[in-house]
Amino acid sequence: MIILLTPAATEGDLQELVQNLEDRGYGVHISKGVEKTIVGAIGAPDQDKAIIAEQLSSFDYVERVIPILKPYKIVSREFHPDKSIIRVGGVDIGGQKIVVMAGPCSVESEEQTIETAKAVKAAGASILRGGAFKPSTSPYSFHGLGEDALKILAAAREVTGLPFITEVMDTRDVELVSEYADILQVGTRNMTNFSLLREIGNSNKPVMLKRGMASTIEEWLQAAEYIANRGNYNIMLCERGIRTFETFTRNTFDVSAIPALFGLTHLPIVADPSHGTGRVHLVPPVARAAVVAGADVLMVEVHPCPEKALKDGAQSLTPDMFSTLMTEIGLCARAVGRFV
Ligand code: PEP
Ligand code: MN
């Protein structure tokens, strides 16, 4: 259930309520909005819920007690009616500005990464992406340079000032990747790796959770709840396409998920048209559609020489193509009252 406090509620009232709920066995999560404080009480025994709700309603600093019937609670819009803004290295994610993350699928060398970082920064990107630990459907594909790649990404950050996002696949690597990265990425293949989600939930690192390629929106939000439930609320959700019967595209980018999420959750929404389509000529139109549909962030793969890329060259934009795309999405952003 969520408990809405009155505007007059004091810090002491809040502490008293938290103690009361913890004594009853609830996990307590607090959301402080501009005008209101909301307390989420989660995970207590089902019995007597109605009675407890009635008792809590009688406190003079409690405005209302509302049951949350959905299977995800902390990430729901009810718990946090305002959109969440996540601050990463001076960049606000989830506000009026559409944030662009760009970079190669995989870190291949220091030269390739720094060249790409400089190019995407010059075109207006504010976060660098690059894979160090690469998930792969085939065990024979390139699996990334590991910690060496993290060092290269850190060097690129040093040169350009761009914070970076990179994927973590294993609970044993969360600490290592967190030492270097500004944002952790959970890839589509790990959306239901609950041990990994819990481990990330125990840290406070911003995390981008990609949609499982065969997951419903509700399953995806429950995966996010695993992270939030441990106390890490710095979560963004990334639509990267789902698997359908269509084979022309690598995945089917679900543009409708973006406005659907907007009504269900306060978490910032990222669109990844690169993995969502798998074809370079489809990336710009789908990126534009995602911005118009309400995405807060765009993630795009860029490579200085896509035909030589070790991974995902077919969906990687050249720096020139990326620069053109930035101009286009600037126009799209304006059309929906935002900016790039
Ligand atoms: C990636 O971002 O490079 C990646 C592997 O994405 P996904 O998990 O969406 O396939
Ligand atoms: Mn990729």
Side-chain angles (χ1 to χ4, degrees), residues 1-3 20-21 24-27 40-58 64-73:
M1 66 185 133
I2 56 179
I3 302 144
N20 184 313
L21 294 167
R24 295 174 192 265
Y26 284 101
I42 293 165
D46 275 344
Q47 84 242 35
D48 303 335
K49 257 190 185 157
I51 297 171
I52 294 172
E54 209 179 304
Q55 285 174 1
L56 297 173
S57 304
S58 71
R64 217 151 26 108
V65 179
I66 311 158
I68 308 186
L69 302 172
K70 290 175 179 147
Y72 52 88
K73 301 177 192 290

Side-chain angles (χ1 to χ4, degrees), residues 102-234:
C105 178
S106 308
V107 170
E108 299 165 5
S109 69
E110 181 156 340
E111 192 190 3
Q112 165 246 13
T113 305
I114 292 182
E115 184 185 340
T116 314
K118 283 181 177 164
V120 299
K121 182 180 178 169
S126 35
I127 295 174
L128 174 67
R129 67 145 283 147
F133 295 93
K134 292 301 303 176
S136 231
T137 304
S138 165
Y140 306 114
S141 307
F142 178 59
H143 283 93
L145 301 177
E147 189 172 1
D148 287 343
L150 298 175
K151 289 182 177 154
I152 291 172
L153 286 163
R157 175 177 54 203
E158 195 66 31
V159 173
T160 59
L162 294 179
F164 75 83
I165 175 168
T166 195
E167 178 160 357
V168 59
M169 296 198 295
D170 193 310
T171 49
R172 291 165 297 186
D173 295 330
V174 171
E175 206 179 320
L176 175 77
V177 179
S178 299
E179 274 171 30
Y180 290 92
D182 300 281
I183 308 172
L184 303 177
Q185 172 170 323
V186 175
T188 190
R189 294 161 187 80
N190 270 316
M191 190 206 86
T192 50
N193 180 341
F194 300 117
S195 319
L196 183 64
L197 302 179
R198 283 199 194 96
E199 191 70 27
I200 292 171
N202 289 338
S203 78
N204 219 23
K205 236 340 155 194
V207 53
M208 184 183 84
L209 177 65
K210 285 195 157 196
R211 180 179 186 175
M213 61 181 89
S215 297
T216 64
I217 290 173
E218 193 168 273
E219 287 161 347
W220 187 14
L221 288 166
Q222 288 179 86
E225 186 83 8
Y226 264 89
I227 301 171
N229 179 268
R230 294 275 166 146
N232 185 354
Y233 303 159
N234 298 316

